[in-house]
Amino acid sequence: MPNVGLTITTKNAIITSQKTLLLKHAKFFPPHNMINECAHDEVIRMCYRRFMRIKPLVSQRQMIQTTYVQYLRYKFRTEDYEEKLKASGITLPKTSFDDSSQVYRSLLFCLKAVSTVKKGFSGEKDASAEIRRARNILKNILTVEFEKSALIAKNSGQNFTVLRKSFSYLRPSVENAANVSQFAPLRDFDRCLLALNITLGTRL
């Protein structure tokens, strides 16, 4: 029987059966003032590397880590975010942040989601609440992405186009169409996520 109370402490981390607490985390955070001092493409590359570095912190479950990596690769290499936003028909004011700033802010959001607060910190309660919200949002995003991948695997010819290319499942005008009605829960979630991105200046 495994010792569920076992704690391993090294110079870099404290590890339990439920979580890993990193003691040295500078390599996970972007350089100070990166947005203003680095070229656009370099900002994107540096953010991508740091997104990948936090994979073990997102979850200790291999399935969730795999979903996270697949999601990142899709977001960075394939997704036409502007087309997705256009297909949704959302009329909220557009963010003033450019795409590199949105990616940077998304990284900060995910770093918050995998963070913890030192006990006794004066703002512990509020900071912990923010972390829980970010963690729950990231968890829900990965749950939805896992569901999308499963649907694409079942019928890649149709579902890849609907979910990844045309984004027709997001369009208000086709809400009741037979070929996209099955995606209603995904549609509702993604429309909320797009609105959240506009509000936060992120690109989750």
Side-chain angles (χ1 to χ4, degrees), residues 58-88:
V58 171
S59 175
Q60 294 184 340
R61 296 177 59 189
Q62 184 61 48
M63 181 182 71
I64 297 176
Q65 289 188 11
T66 299
T67 300
Y68 174 75
V69 170
Q70 291 174 343
Y71 176 60
L72 287 181
R73 288 174 177 166
Y74 165 69
K75 294 289 287 186
F76 276 85
R77 300 178 183 180
T78 307
E79 183 184 57
D80 185 339
Y81 186 78
E82 293 303 321
E83 180 62 28
K84 184 176 184 179
L85 191 60
K86 180 180 177 181
S88 72

Side-chain angles (χ1 to χ4, degrees), residues 38-57:
C38 300
H40 172 276
D41 290 352
E42 184 62 19
V43 170
I44 299 299
R45 284 194 294 270
M46 287 192 291
C47 285
Y48 182 76
R49 288 196 294 267
R50 284 159 177 80
F51 271 117
M52 285 297 186
R53 287 172 187 169
I54 66 173
K55 178 186 71 171
L57 307 180

Side-chain angles (χ1 to χ4, degrees), residues 106 108-117 123-142 189 193 196-197 199-200 202 204:
S106 298
L108 296 183
F109 182 92
C110 289
L111 285 168
K112 180 181 292 184
V114 299
S115 298
T116 189
V117 179
E124 178 185 352
K125 184 177 179 180
D126 291 341
S128 295
E130 285 191 24
I131 289 171
R132 282 195 301 272
R133 283 193 291 268
R135 185 174 296 150
N136 287 337
I137 290 170
L138 180 58
K139 177 182 176 181
N140 289 337
I141 289 172
L142 295 179
F189 179 86
L193 184 59
L196 179 68
N197 281 334
T199 302
L200 299 181
T202 52
L204 299 168

Side-chain angles (χ1 to χ4, degrees), residues 87-155:
S88 72
I90 293 176
T91 57
L92 292 174
K94 286 191 174 183
T95 177
S96 59
F97 298 103
D98 61 20
D99 60 341
S100 61
S101 295
Q102 290 171 351
V103 172
Y104 170 77
R105 293 171 71 87
S106 298
L107 173 61
L108 296 183
F109 182 92
C110 289
L111 285 168
K112 180 181 292 184
V114 299
S115 298
T116 189
V117 179
K118 185 177 181 180
K119 297 295 183 182
F121 170 61
S122 59
E124 178 185 352
K125 184 177 179 180
D126 291 341
S128 295
E130 285 191 24
I131 289 171
R132 282 195 301 272
R133 283 193 291 268
R135 185 174 296 150
N136 287 337
I137 290 170
L138 180 58
K139 177 182 176 181
N140 289 337
I141 289 172
L142 295 179
T143 298
V144 168
E145 286 304 310
F146 180 82
E147 179 64 21
K148 287 180 182 177
S149 296
L151 288 169
I152 291 171
K154 288 180 181 178
N155 187 345

Side-chain angles (χ1 to χ4, degrees), residues 166-178:
S166 71
F167 307 108
S168 58
Y169 74 107
L170 289 172
R171 294 173 185 163
S173 60
V174 294
E175 184 173 0
N176 298 317

